[in-house]
Amino acid sequence: MAKKVAVIGAGVSGLSSIKCCVDEDLEPTCFERSDDIGGLWKFTTTVCSITKRPDFSETGQWDVVTETEGKQNRAVFDAVMVCTGHFLNPHLPLEAFPGIHKFKGQILHSQEYKIPEGFQGKRVLVIGLGNTGGDIAVELSRTAAQVLLSTRTGTWVLGRSSDWGYPYNMMVTRRCCSFIAQVLPSRFLNWIQERKLNKRFNHEDYGLSITKGKKAKFIVNDELPNCILCGAITMKTSVIEFTETSAVFEDGTVEENIDVVIFTTGYTFSFPFFEEPLKSLCTKKIFLYKQVFPLNLERATLAIIGLIGLKGSILSGTELQARWVTRVFKGLCKIPPSQKLMMEATEKEQLIKSCSIWTDQTLFSHQIQELKTLFKVSLEFLRTYNYLWRKSSPRMIFLIDSILVF
């Protein structure tokens, strides 16, 4: 009899998980709280709780309680794949902005923003300069009367095309580039990168330079520099106070008659359907084996899919996770005992807290060792690959990377 698997969420991670369950002859049931796309799904269904069954240590089974149109249902599953992703709970830090409750205009989180229609003729303040903040500001600049883009730290702006017109992610997301980043000093790499990015346009002149002492961050946006150049978007420093109709900024300037404030301040990930201590443990990636399996479970029948950040498409990463997880569920793959993993994670947490011990070199040696263990990749292979990379044309680099997929 096929094992029953509960898949929580019908987004990218959920669809990958459903597909991999079917490939391994498992029986997935997908629960999705919205009325949008899913797999073998149950629309508009909210997962209320996921708890261990009394005989969990022997069976690894879970009780899943769901609610549909006010009616609760309980079902037993042999395994659970949580695919709710990063973007479940909007982070709206209103308490960090004095006077925001006096503000009479409209306040939104980027999750609520859908289309630029409805903002015609309005003065819009976008708070937060990540990829979302840049995209929303550019889109609104075509319809709104004025768009103000506030940032605390600044950012480096990347274009989608790189040297010779090749896609940027194709040229950068390569094993060789990753290896070089592990070996060369970070200050030297940052210096080279800053010079190259400022050749395209001087970020300081555009109000985008990284604040001193802040960690460098990057966004991908082809249109933002042009919008700033023509005045459709005005860069502002961080907001220190709101009044009923205006915003006061860190540099002392005041912008009056603001109609809408859009917070692009990201999300927090949480698992409200779990009980403690599992709920808290799953929010700490260090206590997830390969960022997938919680370490404190006697049976590996619960997996977190998609709680990762990749430079490229997340779909390939979530499918690889789901392939591995379904094979673990079937018993075809094994993971180390939970006691051993918890001990290692606790030690690693202590190392990370002790900055004097957890140096870049320590991190590098851990990552190289993991590469050698997981993929049986020797340093000699990396040297050979580096030689091929240096001797090849961009087109050949892409072909080599495509062939050498793990």
Side-chain angles (χ1 to χ4, degrees):
M1 183 177 177
K3 286 188 174 182
K4 296 175 62 179
V5 180
V7 178
I8 315 301
V12 169
S13 301
L15 295 176
S16 300
S17 299
I18 293 167
K19 182 255 186 192
C20 292
C21 283
V22 173
D23 288 346
E24 293 292 343
D25 296 321
L26 301 175
E27 186 181 315
T29 300
C30 185
F31 300 99
E32 170 56 46
R33 67 178 182 176
S34 72
D35 59 356
D36 209 343
I37 191 169
L40 304 175
W41 49 85
K42 297 188 177 181
F43 285 139
T44 61
T45 300
T46 302
V47 176
C48 303
S49 68
I50 300 174
T51 56
K52 298 178 185 177
R53 287 185 58 77
D55 57 352
F56 179 83
S57 57
E58 288 83 34
T59 64
Q61 291 182 326
W62 298 85
D63 279 322
V64 178
V65 178
T66 59
E67 183 176 314
T68 306
E69 297 178 351
K71 183 181 178 181
Q72 286 198 347
N73 298 286
R74 182 184 298 270
V76 177
F77 288 91
D78 299 300
V80 177
M81 301 174 77
V82 178
C83 309
T84 50
H86 287 274
F87 310 115
L88 183 62
N89 301 313
H91 176 54
L92 196 60
L94 298 181
E95 66 284 350
F97 296 89
I100 188 65
H101 298 293
K102 301 177 187 176
F103 182 67
K104 293 185 176 180
Q106 187 179 10
I107 298 174
L108 302 172
H109 187 272
S110 56
Q111 188 185 58
E112 302 171 81
Y113 173 86
K114 303 301 179 185
I115 55 176
E117 282 69 34
F119 294 90
Q120 291 91 340
K122 294 185 177 181
R123 285 171 55 81
V124 181
L125 170 61
V126 179
I127 296 179
L129 181 50
N131 283 303
T132 302
D135 289 342
I136 289 177
V138 166
E139 189 170 67
L140 285 176
S141 69
R142 304 185 186 105
T143 57
Q146 177 64 55
V147 176
L148 309 168
L149 182 53
S150 170
T151 175
R152 291 184 303 169
T153 61
T155 188
W156 295 107
V157 181
L158 307 174
R160 287 179 172 81
S161 62
S162 183
D163 299 334
W164 307 293
Y166 286 92
Y168 181 83
N169 60 348
M170 187 187 92
M171 299 300 295
V172 173
T173 312
R174 300 203 307 273
R175 296 174 189 81
C176 184
C177 291
S178 179
F179 181 66
I180 290 172
Q182 304 282 1
V183 176
L184 295 181
S186 58
R187 287 190 178 183
F188 178 67
L189 291 171
N190 291 341
W191 178 75
I192 293 175
Q193 195 165 44
E194 288 173 15
R195 282 174 57 86
K196 185 171 183 178
L197 291 172
N198 276 328
K199 271 187 176 181
R200 183 182 171 214
F201 67 91
N202 191 316
H203 284 63
E204 186 175 357
D205 293 343
Y206 283 67
L208 294 166
S209 59
I210 300 293
T211 305
K212 189 175 181 180
K214 298 292 185 180
K215 183 179 178 181
K217 67 176 186 177
F218 303 84
I219 67 170
V220 178
N221 198 305
D222 290 315
E223 299 180 64
L224 181 60
N226 292 335
C227 291
I228 296 173
L229 192 63
C230 67
I233 294 175
T234 302
M235 294 303 304
K236 305 297 293 185
T237 55
S238 60
V239 178
I240 60 172
E241 185 183 2
F242 280 97
T243 66
E244 292 183 351
T245 60
S246 63
V248 182
F249 296 90
E250 194 176 39
D251 59 1
T253 59
V254 179
E255 291 288 345
E256 303 283 352
N257 303 318
I258 294 175
D259 300 299
V260 183
V261 177
I262 301 178
F263 285 87
T264 61
T265 44
Y267 296 80
T268 59
F269 54 88
S270 63
F271 306 95
F273 35 73
F274 288 148
E275 293 180 321
E276 294 291 357
L278 186 59
K279 181 192 295 188
S280 300
L281 188 108
C282 287
T283 61
K284 299 179 181 179
K285 293 184 180 180
I286 196 170
F287 287 103
L288 296 175
Y289 181 60
K290 306 303 180 191
Q291 298 189 27
V292 174
F293 288 102
L295 304 185
N296 64 336
L297 299 177
E298 310 96 298
R299 297 272 182 166
T301 56
L302 172 67
I304 313 296
I305 305 295
L307 202 62
I308 51 176
L310 301 177
K311 290 182 180 178
S313 169
I314 195 173
L315 182 58
S316 57
T318 58
E319 182 168 353
L320 285 173
Q321 285 185 321
R323 285 185 196 175
W324 177 48
V325 166
T326 51
R327 290 177 66 81
V328 170
F329 288 167
K330 287 189 70 175
L332 301 176
C333 293
K334 303 291 184 183
I335 66 173
S338 61
Q339 296 89 343
K340 179 183 177 182
L341 294 176
M342 280 295 291
M343 189 182 302
E344 290 176 354
T346 304
E347 290 175 359
K348 190 180 290 186
E349 186 180 40
Q350 294 301 320
L351 283 172
I352 292 173
K353 288 179 180 178
S354 176
C355 297
S356 60
I357 298 175
W358 192 261
T359 61
D360 288 340
Q361 186 60 39
T362 309
L363 179 60
F364 168 68
S365 62
H366 274 261
Q367 290 170 332
I368 289 296
Q369 186 59 42
E370 187 169 11
L371 271 176
K372 291 172 71 177
T373 303
L374 288 178
F375 303 114
K376 297 181 175 63
V377 177
S378 66
L379 289 175
E380 187 59 41
F381 168 80
L382 291 173
R383 293 192 192 99
T384 304
Y385 178 77
N386 187 32
Y387 174 82
L388 290 172
W389 175 79
R390 286 189 289 107
K391 297 294 183 181
S392 301
S393 66
R395 186 180 297 275
M396 184 58 67
I397 290 169
F398 177 67
L399 291 174
I400 293 171
D401 273 342
S402 299
I403 294 169
L404 297 177
V405 173
F406 289 129

